[in-house]
Amino acid sequence: MKIEWAPLRVPLERRLQILVTAFFTSMLLILLSVSFLLVAGSLIYGGLLVRSLMVTYLAYVFVHHKKTQSVVDGNGWMITRTNLLHRHYRDYFPVELVKTAELPATKNYILASFPHGILGTGIGINMGLEISKWLELFPQVRPKLGTLDQHFHVPFMREVLRCWGLVSVSKEALIRMLSKSNDPKHKDNRDGFTSNAVAILVGGAQEAMDSHPGQYILTLKNRKGFVRMAIRTGSSIVPSFSFGEVDIFDQVANPPNSLLRRFQDFVKKLTGVSPLIPVGRGFFNYTFGFLPFRRRIVQVVGAPIDVVKNEHPDSEYVDKVHGQVIESLEKLFDQYKDKYLENSKSATLVVH
């Protein structure tokens, strides 16, 4: 294998972008490790006071999540959601955000976001870490990003995720977020925002396993829970497509029915997470490593699909709305692929 080396002389800004990207790419592993060490270290080696404080905190985490689903009602501390560090991460790729329709702040929204890619980087930056562009394009609409509920059971890690605007995709958490009042005078809207938009990577771990450069394979045909949630809460569904998301990482070949894919499916059923083996670039080469490639990601936010609120949606109406979502995503892909994809002529959209 011939190694393609990166040039030694690069601008300082690009070096900073690489370092910041390495940090955020490793963030989940860092958070899990630090959380485990803090809890285990305190309980095993701490004195009576330290142990008592840790037990109290663990009890708080359990009770607080049970009561509030760990949801931060507002945008949280803005310093944790837009800052120079996060902008370096955004500009590494770079990640862009495109508005195609208005999202009036008089209702709440579910952003049905595709594709997942390896990490869901584009949507994670635009609606989690660096929300300045979102707030410019969609004023008074709070951006939130859905993730697995078990992440909020991990002490310390949950506090970081909450600061970044992440919320659980559990039924209880989504109902809490999407049932919020849109009245400007309501106490929950004293921050000047009157709407919540929760992005959900609908394809999840299954779709992540199909992520390879140039391949837009969506897991959607049998994913209807987000449609039911939208109807139950009266929230509009906004199709969102991130062009280039699948190009920032490759992964070890895992075709269906291969030994690796069967192992990934097994682990996913047990944990909800698929153990991927991503292939990226290194600090000083473009051939192998854990860093994502510098590839442009453009998140295109489509027009909202309004629904009729019904706490007990019937399957026929769910199927109708679900079909509208698929149709809207196909139109977004066909309309914008030539503009935002280098290999647009060979790019196809497959919906599983």
Side-chain angles (χ1 to χ4, degrees):
M1 180 177 64
K2 184 178 179 181
I3 299 176
E4 182 182 359
W5 297 101
L8 293 176
R9 294 180 179 272
V10 297
L12 177 60
E13 184 177 8
R14 288 176 71 86
R15 287 292 187 206
L16 291 173
Q17 290 172 357
I18 290 173
L19 290 173
V20 171
T21 300
F23 173 73
F24 280 111
T25 302
S26 310
M27 181 53 66
L28 182 60
L29 180 61
I30 293 172
L31 288 174
L32 286 170
S33 301
V34 171
S35 299
F36 173 78
L37 290 174
L38 284 173
V39 173
S42 298
L43 295 178
I44 296 173
Y45 299 107
L48 179 61
L49 177 60
V50 172
R51 291 180 179 179
S52 299
L53 288 174
M54 181 55 67
V55 170
T56 301
Y57 172 62
L58 294 177
Y60 161 79
V61 169
F62 176 81
V63 174
H64 184 259
H65 186 72
K66 193 79 171 178
K67 182 178 180 182
T68 69
Q69 295 78 50
S70 300
V71 168
V72 174
D73 291 327
N75 280 318
W77 294 336
M78 290 305 296
I79 189 61
T80 65
R81 304 200 66 191
T82 173
N83 58 56
L84 182 61
L85 196 69
H86 295 172
R87 285 191 288 276
H88 277 312
Y89 184 35
R90 178 194 65 189
D91 296 341
Y92 170 85
F93 299 96
V95 174
E96 302 172 24
L97 182 65
V98 174
K99 171 183 176 180
T100 65
E102 295 292 337
L103 297 185
T106 54
K107 59 179 66 176
N108 297 319
Y109 302 94
I110 290 179
L111 262 74
S113 305
F114 299 87
H116 187 289
I118 298 295
L119 296 175
T121 301
I123 195 84
I125 291 174
N126 281 332
M127 299 191 67
L129 288 171
E130 182 49 53
I131 63 173
S132 54
K133 188 63 176 179
W134 174 276
L135 298 182
E136 175 188 331
L137 296 179
F138 305 106
Q140 296 183 294
V141 181
R142 302 180 192 91
K144 300 285 185 177
L145 177 62
T147 189
L148 294 175
D149 184 68
Q150 52 259 45
H151 289 160
F152 296 94
H153 294 276
V154 181
F156 300 108
M157 184 175 87
R158 68 186 291 275
E159 315 303 344
V160 177
L161 299 183
R162 295 175 74 236
C163 284
W164 288 342
L166 273 68
V167 297
S168 167
V169 289
S170 68
K171 181 175 71 173
E172 294 79 11
L174 291 177
I175 289 176
R176 180 184 179 91
M177 287 299 305
L178 298 170
S179 299
K180 292 286 186 181
S181 171
N182 304 117
D183 184 354
K185 297 181 180 179
H186 194 277
K187 61 182 179 64
D188 288 341
N189 298 327
R190 286 177 292 187
D191 58 357
F193 291 78
T194 56
S195 170
N196 292 313
V198 181
I200 300 176
L201 289 160
V202 176
Q206 183 65 43
E207 192 171 278
M209 290 190 291
D210 290 322
S211 180
H212 293 274
Q215 300 182 22
Y216 289 88
I217 303 173
L218 310 188
T219 301
L220 176 56
K221 282 187 177 179
N222 295 319
R223 301 287 173 103
K224 300 179 183 180
F226 73 100
V227 177
R228 294 188 186 92
M229 179 58 64
I231 296 171
R232 182 172 179 176
T233 59
S235 305
S236 296
I237 300 175
V238 183
S240 174
F241 202 97
S242 294
F243 293 90
E245 181 69 51
V246 299
D247 297 324
I248 65 172
F249 278 110
D250 197 356
Q251 61 177 310
V252 173
N254 59 343
N257 296 320
S258 65
L259 180 62
L260 176 57
R261 177 61 75 94
R262 292 200 297 270
F263 172 73
Q264 291 172 330
D265 286 332
F266 173 74
V267 175
K268 182 176 69 68
K269 288 179 180 178
L270 290 178
T271 67
V273 178
S274 51
L276 308 178
I277 308 175
V279 178
R281 55 159 291 186
F283 284 94
F284 303 108
N285 76 85
Y286 299 128
T287 308
F288 62 89
F290 75 95
L291 291 175
F293 296 107
R294 284 185 185 266
R295 300 286 188 270
R296 182 189 185 198
I297 302 174
V298 183
Q299 180 192 351
V300 179
V301 180
I305 300 171
D306 295 329
V307 301
V308 178
K309 184 176 181 179
N310 185 344
E311 291 191 5
H312 304 286
D314 62 82
S315 58
E316 184 177 348
Y317 185 55
V318 169
D319 290 342
K320 176 184 175 182
V321 175
H322 187 259
Q324 290 177 304
V325 174
I326 294 177
E327 182 181 354
S328 295
L329 284 167
E330 291 172 340
K331 287 182 178 178
L332 275 181
F333 184 80
D334 291 336
Q335 183 176 353
Y336 292 100
K337 68 176 183 178
D338 290 336
K339 188 174 183 180
Y340 298 126
L341 289 180
E342 293 181 1
N343 59 340
S344 62
K345 299 303 179 184
S346 59
T348 57
L349 182 67
V350 178
V351 181
H352 285 169

